[in-house]
Amino acid sequence: MITESDLGGAASTAAEGVLLMSRASTDTRYRHEFAPTVEAVPAARYAVRAICSMHGVDSDGPELAVSELVTNALRHARIADYVGVLVEVTDRALDLDVSDPAPALAPQLDRPAPADDAVQGRGLLIVAAVSDHVNVFVSDDRKHVRARFNR
């Protein structure tokens, strides 16, 4: 389980009142539920950074991806309950799964890029650029966006 000391002082402050549940179901699988507030973005990023650090994985891509995906969930899903973040680390990859309770709003991975002067609409493109694979699926009345980072 990730403790407050794993997250560090600034992360603990950012996560206070935001992290609803954190559980390590195995030594390599971590599940978090964050309250649907803007503070969920840095709290999720800090949690992913701590997991990457514990497993010797470069955190740049996963941190950027979780920031974009949690932001998308908050912006588009109008969440009432929680944003789920699942991280699984194997000897071959780190899988990052961000879920929300809006399965009808699943993003299209093959949509065109936004106009050059658009101020939003690039989050999923950024995730695709920093990860090795991205997919979207619906399970248990939740939408999941999963990004894989090969080791």
Side-chain angles (χ1 to χ4, degrees):
M1 172 174 283
I2 296 177
T3 64
E4 285 190 18
S5 63
D6 292 325
L7 295 176
S12 297
T13 301
E16 187 176 318
V18 176
L19 183 62
L20 301 175
M21 189 278 301
S22 177
R23 179 177 66 222
S25 56
T26 68
D27 289 341
T28 61
R29 187 174 169 94
Y30 306 88
R31 182 172 167 237
H32 305 305
E33 294 176 0
F34 295 97
T37 66
V38 295
E39 290 85 7
V41 176
R45 189 172 51 244
Y46 292 131
V48 167
R49 180 183 303 151
I51 293 165
C52 288
S53 177
M54 287 187 291
H55 291 278
V57 175
D58 177 55
S59 68
D60 291 345
E63 280 187 71
L64 180 55
V66 79
S67 295
E68 294 295 333
L69 295 175
V70 170
T71 298
N72 285 354
L74 294 171
R75 177 172 287 143
H76 301 295
R78 310 277 188 244
I79 299 169
D81 58 357
Y82 67 92
V83 177
V85 175
L86 174 69
V87 179
E88 187 165 10
V89 184
T90 67
D91 58 344
R92 296 183 313 176
L94 179 141
D95 287 321
L96 170 68
D97 181 295
V98 176
S99 67
D100 64 59
L105 298 174
Q108 300 300 313
L109 295 175
D110 59 353
R111 70 185 178 111
D116 289 344
D117 60 347
V119 294
Q120 62 183 16
R122 292 180 180 81
L124 209 50
L125 295 172
I126 292 169
V127 173
V130 300
S131 66
D132 294 292
H133 181 74
V134 178
N135 69 331
V136 177
F137 63 96
V138 175
S139 173
D140 300 326
D141 296 326
R142 294 186 70 81
K143 169 187 66 209
H144 297 259
V145 180
R146 183 169 289 166
R148 171 164 280 184
F149 300 87
N150 293 332
R151 293 183 76 177

